[in-house]
Amino acid sequence: MATDSCEDAIAELQKLLSEKCGLETLAAAKIKQITAELEKTGSEPFDAVERIKSGFARFKTEKYEKNPALYDELAKRQSPKFMVFACSDSRVCPSHILDFQPGEAFMVRNIANMVPPYDQTKYSGVGAAIEYAVLHLKVENIVVIGHSCCGGIKGLMSIPDDGTTASDFIEQWVQICLPAKSKVKTENSGLTFQEQCTNCEKEAVNVSLGNLLTYPFVREAVVKKTLALKGAHYDFVNGSFELWSFDYNLCPPLPA
Amino acid sequence: MGNKMESLDKTDQGLDFFEELKHRFLCFKKQKYLEEPEHFQALANAQSPKFMVIACADSRVCPSNILGFQPGEAFMIRNVANLVPPVENGPSETNAALEFAVNTLEVENILVIGHSSCAGIEALVSMRDDVNSSSFVENWVANGKVAKLRTKAAAGHLSFYQQCKHCEKESINHSLLNLLTYPWIEDRERKGLLSIHGGYYDFLNCTFEKWTIDFKRSSIEKEGPKCLVKNRSFWC
């Protein structure tokens, strides 16, 4: 595949050079530059520190210094309108796919973007993030974003029926969304494993949204309509994004 | 940037919210995804990030923004106060992600990034230690208790603000040491397959400090765990 695109590029370049006189010198210089860069990247090992140093320098000159008013304000406080749950997967950062800028989204990232049910002992990490976002930051929306080819969901779907696990922590974590797996296995038994995984990615988002409502402060804000819950699914194979509102029915408390 | 904040202010109504996110996704698709089809095709097949980053959930410190990580570059954990609990605390979302990144993806670098004005650290420094808390935040940040003790010992005479600043960095080092309590992390570090780094983003002054953990010296220290570092840099 890389060879095809190289050959296409060379063919295009040759065509351009034959049509436009005088470009040869410019093209030669550019080719020399690109060759030097390729030779450099081919021979030197990856330098992690240089990578983050140049990334920070670019952020400072292209964003921070161009918007002093915004960053002065952010230095004092944050007031994001969103809390986002996204997978830790390197391909799905919401700052890229939804262009969240500094200050816009309080973001939790974990395996398979899961929200466990309320449990102060077992899941204090996620609980802390939700508590802070809802009670202190008073976010207006919580969005849980699932994605295609999720390793965590695949892991969940691959756990054998007898429940034996091979990992120290991963499988225990992803079993938070066991109800999603059960639903998919029951309703989509005719689909391929891959199709079942895709459905499970979306069902797991719904399980997480339901788990959000087990936090009393979330339930309260949702009832008061100061907080909305949304689910989403990013498909990076097809380049699509689905977004939906969470459908729930909150029953009034039973009389004492 | 100002316009972007305004457009999100108008998304109080459900329809505007959907429209705004739709617009943003379509921009991403047009300006990035469709511009590099081969790159995104390759990513769709597999990810092979060289970094795992543990950063705070704070809306101001996303490493994709401040360090410019592009799709495919960094597997990311984000939690309150960028804490890594030790292995003996049992299963958590943080160590499930650690396990995947180190054992499955085999990342080469772990970077724990703390930041200035961290509310989680403020909660840790100001909370009462003698009472069981009913707050999720306090129960979680208690994972940084050792960092708080060190801070009180070294900087207890300083102002609250200065103590918090000290604790933000002390907590990063504590998390770096906690990473080494995981045998599969310690093993890869020892074999030179994995480097562990700390980073501190000060968004008041827009500076970034970075250091690498000195594994060999730390394991020799007999007077209790101590984070010894090398290759310290300061970028401003």
Side-chain angles (χ1 to χ4, degrees):
Chain A
M1 263 190 289
T3 319
D4 288 339
S5 68
C6 256
E7 283 168 359
D8 288 342
I10 292 166
E12 280 295 309
L13 183 61
Q14 280 171 339
K15 186 174 170 232
L16 200 66
L17 285 171
S18 66
E19 284 169 5
K20 293 192 188 253
C21 316
L23 272 184
E24 289 95 335
T25 324
L26 199 64
K30 196 70 191 171
I31 289 166
K32 202 173 169 187
Q33 184 201 335
I34 293 168
T35 313
E37 277 173 350
L38 283 169
E39 277 171 353
K40 194 176 167 208
T41 53
S43 57
E44 281 175 16
F46 176 73
D47 189 331
V49 174
E50 269 312 301
R51 172 62 193 83
I52 61 178
K53 183 178 179 182
S54 60
F56 180 69
R58 246 187 335 266
F59 159 72
K60 185 155 186 179
T61 47
E62 291 170 20
K63 291 200 171 177
Y64 185 87
E65 286 169 354
K66 293 210 164 125
N67 225 306
L70 169 70
Y71 285 94
D72 277 348
E73 193 50 43
L74 288 180
K76 294 180 200 136
R77 70 189 63 84
Q78 56 169 332
S79 48
K81 294 208 181 303
F82 292 87
M83 175 180 192
V84 174
F85 282 88
C87 187
S88 294
D89 192 300
S90 65
R91 303 166 283 191
V92 305
C93 184
S95 299
H96 295 130
I97 63 174
L98 297 176
D99 199 29
F100 282 119
Q101 296 301 307
E104 290 193 314
F106 189 76
M107 222 182 280
V108 169
R109 292 190 66 189
N110 62 38
I111 297 277
N113 43 272
M114 291 190 180
V115 181
Y118 183 103
D119 188 322
Q120 281 217 331
T121 325
K122 221 162 141 189
Y123 301 123
S124 64
V126 177
I130 301 171
E131 180 184 278
Y132 188 70
V134 174
L135 293 180
H136 298 271
L137 297 178
K138 299 190 188 340
V139 296
E140 296 171 10
N141 300 279
I142 302 182
V143 192
V144 179
I145 310 176
H147 72 94
S148 53
C149 310
C150 182
I153 295 295
K154 188 178 174 189
L156 168 66
M157 293 293 286
S158 305
I159 296 173
D161 291 335
D162 63 3
T164 48
T165 56
S167 61
D168 289 352
F169 306 115
I170 301 172
E171 285 152 307
Q172 198 163 351
W173 169 253
V174 297
Q175 284 189 81
I176 285 169
C177 284
L178 214 47
K181 175 181 180 177
S182 305
K183 183 169 189 214
V184 166
K185 287 276 191 204
T186 312
E187 295 178 8
N188 304 136
S189 54
L191 298 180
T192 63
F193 180 71
Q194 202 166 340
E195 285 166 336
Q196 287 184 358
C197 283
T198 302
N199 284 1
C200 192
E201 285 155 9
K202 298 178 191 181
E203 279 308 328
V205 167
N206 289 333
V207 168
S208 289
L209 291 171
N211 284 344
L212 276 169
L213 289 173
T214 64
Y215 295 78
F217 36 87
V218 172
R219 207 160 52 239
E220 208 181 296
V222 163
V223 163
K224 279 193 203 153
K225 297 194 194 308
T226 54
L227 179 65
L229 306 183
K230 313 272 190 221
H233 184 262
Y234 168 44
D235 181 341
F236 50 60
V237 178
N238 301 306
S240 63
F241 191 87
E242 248 181 277
L243 183 62
W244 62 92
S245 284
F246 186 51
D247 216 357
Y248 55 85
N249 280 318
L250 286 174
C251 302
L254 293 169
Chain B
M1 199 77 66
N3 289 337
K4 197 139 284 183
M5 294 286 265
E6 278 166 22
S7 66
L8 272 181
D9 281 345
K10 290 180 190 125
T11 58
D12 291 342
Q13 276 67 53
L15 205 60
D16 286 339
F17 165 91
F18 279 94
E19 279 308 306
E20 176 62 27
L21 289 196
K22 176 185 171 182
H23 171 75
R24 289 187 184 204
F25 176 72
L26 291 175
C27 282
F28 158 74
K29 184 167 178 174
K30 188 176 168 196
Q31 291 163 12
K32 287 199 173 175
Y33 185 89
L34 292 173
E35 283 293 303
E36 297 175 78
E38 278 179 19
H39 175 57
F40 281 93
Q41 170 94 38
L43 282 183
N45 289 332
Q47 57 170 333
S48 52
K50 293 213 188 292
F51 289 92
M52 173 173 58
V53 178
I54 298 149
C56 188
D58 191 300
S59 64
R60 302 165 283 189
V61 305
C62 180
S64 298
N65 288 321
I66 67 171
L67 296 178
F69 285 117
Q70 294 303 303
E73 287 195 306
F75 188 83
M76 237 180 265
I77 298 171
R78 290 185 69 186
N79 63 35
V80 169
N82 42 274
L83 293 169
V84 178
V87 69
E88 53 263 25
N89 283 19
S92 71
E93 69 272 26
T94 304
N95 51 33
L98 284 179
E99 191 181 3
F100 187 77
V102 174
N103 291 347
T104 306
L105 296 179
E106 297 185 335
V107 294
E108 296 168 8
N109 299 279
I110 302 180
L111 174 60
V112 178
I113 307 175
H115 70 96
S116 53
S117 309
C118 182
I121 298 295
E122 280 174 21
L124 171 63
V125 173
S126 56
M127 71 192 236
R128 283 185 62 178
D129 298 324
D130 55 346
V131 179
N132 279 334
S133 180
S134 60
S135 149
F136 267 108
V137 169
E138 290 189 351
N139 277 322
W140 170 249
V141 298
N143 278 305
K145 226 170 19 197
V146 169
K148 177 177 179 174
L149 287 171
R150 285 198 205 277
T151 298
K152 290 290 182 189
H157 58 289
L158 300 175
S159 69
F160 178 72
Y161 169 79
Q162 283 167 318
Q163 286 184 50
C164 286
K165 207 163 176 77
H166 189 102
C167 197
E168 281 155 7
K169 296 185 184 180
E170 202 58 68
S171 170
I172 296 166
N173 286 336
H174 182 55
S175 286
L176 296 179
L177 277 177
N178 282 346
L179 283 170
L180 293 175
T181 63
Y182 294 88
W184 19 271
I185 290 182
E186 195 253 16
D187 186 57
R188 290 182 74 81
E189 235 268 62
R190 196 169 10 92
K191 289 176 179 162
L193 300 170
L194 178 62
S195 299
I196 299 180
H197 317 270
Y200 182 78
Y201 170 46
D202 179 340
F203 51 60
L204 202 62
N205 304 305
C206 198
T207 60
F208 196 92
E209 239 179 286
K210 159 260 136 202
W211 58 95
T212 304
I213 195 172
D214 195 329
F215 177 75
K216 290 182 186 56
R217 289 166 62 198
S218 300
S219 61
I220 290 163
E221 248 344 284
K222 286 213 165 66
E223 55 241 354
K226 201 175 167 191
C227 196
L228 294 161
V229 299
K230 60 182 181 184
N231 302 335
R232 194 183 280 277
S233 305
F234 184 82
W235 308 322
C236 56

